[in-house]
Amino acid sequence: EELKTMLAAACNARAHLTLFFPPDNMAIVAVYRRTDAGGLDDFKRQVAEAVAAHNAGCPNRAALFDFMSPNPLTTETLKDGQAADYVDLVHFRPPAGLWLLRQMGFSG
């Protein structure tokens, strides 16, 4: 419900709304899948449906990206729990944030 409330507030806003599933390293995504794959998939489906419903009825459309899948960032090998792009399995460093922005179509 909180997501729907946020989307409703953005319906006529002048700001561009971009949502994304975070680029958690695939090692942690494997844990998510092992412990509750159905719950993860259901959550992602519900978010996608809420964004689609928002976009169908609002002039200010939202973008949704899923970085919680294999990609050059999430498949990076960690050594002692760290890597060039990660502080740990879920917290990424600023250069990774810039990569994410480029993937979402932002430049600069």
Side-chain angles (χ1 to χ4, degrees):
E1 292 305 311
E2 290 178 22
L3 175 61
K4 290 178 184 176
T5 300
M6 184 210 47
L7 289 168
C11 193
N12 293 300
R14 293 183 50 152
H16 182 78
L17 181 60
T18 302
L19 306 167
F20 65 92
F21 293 108
D24 293 350
N25 187 278
M26 293 312 297
I28 196 69
V29 173
V31 173
Y32 300 158
R33 293 221 154 273
R34 188 171 56 250
T35 57
D36 190 10
L40 177 62
D41 292 339
D42 191 47
F43 171 72
K44 290 170 85 172
R45 180 190 54 75
Q46 288 178 38
V47 171
E49 287 174 357
V51 170
H54 165 85
N55 287 345
C58 290
N60 186 21
R61 303 187 87 194
L64 175 62
F65 294 89
D66 185 358
F67 294 111
M68 197 177 281
S69 58
N71 61 58
L73 183 61
T74 61
T75 57
E76 184 174 15
T77 301
L78 280 74
K79 181 177 167 111
D80 298 323
Q82 295 190 354
D85 289 312
Y86 287 93
V87 175
D88 55 37
L89 291 174
V90 296
H91 296 100
F92 51 89
R93 299 178 192 278
L98 294 174
W99 181 86
L100 291 169
L101 288 171
R102 286 191 300 275
Q103 301 310 303
M104 292 185 276
F106 296 95
S107 61

